[in-house]
Amino acid sequence: MKSIQEIRTEFQNAAETELDDLCALYLEDERKGVQALIGKARKQQEKLEAERARIEKMKAYEYQYEHLGYVCGIDEAGRGPLAGPVVAGAVILPKDCRLLYLNDSKQLSEKRREELYDVIMEEAVSVGVGYAGPARIDEINILQATYEAMREAVSKLTVRPQILLNDAVTIPQMYIPQVPIIKGDAKSISIAAASIIAKVTRDRLMREYDKVMPEYGFASHKGYGAASHIEAIRKYGPSPIHRATFIRNFID
């Protein structure tokens, strides 16, 4: 008879498709440790099924418009911070996309976002990223700068999409049909993927800025209005990446 540790190793090394057979194989083993392993495997399968069902629900818009051709999700990160750029992501996922755990980037841990970023970049049909820096935000306002970053993101795609799924907005001066979806990053896998690309890209950039200007703490708050950030602005004055129109209340 195999030891419980040996059986545990089997479960740990088993592919998802092999778990049912393993559970059946050891079902008659009455040892508590083995039954615990079976219970854990069953719960793991239930969670995966629930996640697949959630993702399938998030494909509703993709299914609705896939007959048009390439469906592109668009979202941004960084409209609210006091410093740094606004970043837009545009993502075209393959029609048979099986990625799990896609969601509004704000609902995901940093570790999960980083993992998904790499998978999206590898599996997407095309990914485009656009930026609008602090000076441009001050010049034309954050909403127009966001639209500009979104147009740039679409322009960087290697294939032309036939439909754009946008998180809540309709982008001006865009000659591709658009579907604005309220809270789209939680309702569409394409928008969720774009949200993750934009968020991870911007967070990485803010960590780089932190290396140059550590006194502001950009790595921790990413330019948002944390108390420590506001205190640093008052102590050191604005940095080259601060948005002048956003920090008027914090400087003399």
Side-chain angles (χ1 to χ4, degrees):
M1 180 183 288
K2 290 182 181 177
S3 70
I4 293 176
Q5 182 56 50
E6 287 174 322
I7 296 172
R8 179 180 289 111
T9 301
E10 282 187 64
F11 273 95
Q12 289 173 342
N13 294 336
E16 182 194 334
T17 53
E18 298 171 331
L19 285 177
D20 271 338
D21 289 340
L22 268 181
C23 289
L25 179 63
Y26 295 110
L27 192 59
E28 301 301 320
D29 191 322
E30 296 180 355
R31 289 177 291 178
K32 288 183 180 180
V34 175
Q35 291 302 311
L37 288 170
I38 292 171
K40 183 179 179 182
R42 291 267 163 82
K43 285 183 180 178
Q44 181 182 336
Q45 288 176 304
E46 287 171 8
K47 285 183 179 179
L48 278 170
E49 286 305 313
E51 176 59 19
R52 286 196 186 96
R54 186 188 70 84
I55 288 292
E56 192 64 20
K57 190 176 180 181
M58 284 182 69
K59 293 180 180 180
Y61 288 99
E62 282 73 14
Y63 288 144
Q64 183 177 349
Y65 295 105
E66 67 180 2
H67 68 282
L68 298 175
Y70 288 120
V71 177
C72 176
I74 300 176
D75 202 3
E76 52 72 31
R79 283 179 67 170
L82 308 178
V86 60
V87 178
V91 176
I92 300 174
L93 294 172
K95 286 186 178 181
D96 62 348
C97 179
R98 296 182 181 179
L99 266 176
L100 299 179
Y101 308 110
L102 292 170
N103 204 344
D104 170 8
S105 63
K106 297 183 291 297
Q107 301 301 316
L108 302 171
S109 67
E110 182 175 332
K111 182 176 183 291
R112 177 75 80 184
R113 285 195 301 265
E114 290 282 348
E115 290 170 351
L116 284 168
Y117 175 95
D118 291 338
V119 179
I120 293 165
M121 293 298 289
E122 182 178 338
E123 296 192 9
V125 174
S126 187
V127 175
V129 178
Y131 305 81
R136 189 61 172 161
I137 292 168
D138 289 333
E139 180 183 356
I140 62 175
N141 78 46
I142 184 60
L143 181 59
Q144 296 306 317
T146 300
Y147 291 149
E148 198 168 84
M150 288 176 167
R151 288 192 291 268
E152 181 186 359
V154 173
S155 75
K156 289 183 176 178
L157 294 168
T158 55
V159 297
R160 179 182 173 86
Q162 279 68 52
I163 189 81
L164 306 179
L165 305 182
N166 306 340
D167 187 27
V169 302
T170 299
I171 309 165
Q173 302 167 40
M174 183 66 73
Y175 303 104
I176 300 170
Q178 304 177 59
V179 181
I181 304 168
I182 303 298
K183 296 185 178 178
D185 46 11
K187 297 176 182 176
S188 156
I189 59 168
S190 300
I191 299 177
S195 168
I196 292 164
I197 293 297
K199 173 69 173 166
V200 172
T201 299
R202 189 180 188 280
D203 284 358
R204 289 178 178 180
L205 189 58
M206 295 308 293
R207 287 195 288 270
E208 290 303 310
Y209 282 132
D210 184 75
K211 294 176 184 177
V212 182
M213 297 170 279
E215 64 271 22
Y216 294 99
F218 292 133
S220 61
H221 52 65
K222 308 301 187 296
Y224 284 86
S228 61
H229 185 194
I230 293 169
E231 183 181 345
I233 294 170
R234 287 176 169 150
K235 182 176 181 180
Y236 301 107
S239 75
I241 67 163
H242 277 100
R243 305 172 182 178
T245 51
F246 280 50
I247 62 170
R248 288 170 179 160
N249 295 336
F250 309 126
I251 55 177
D252 299 325

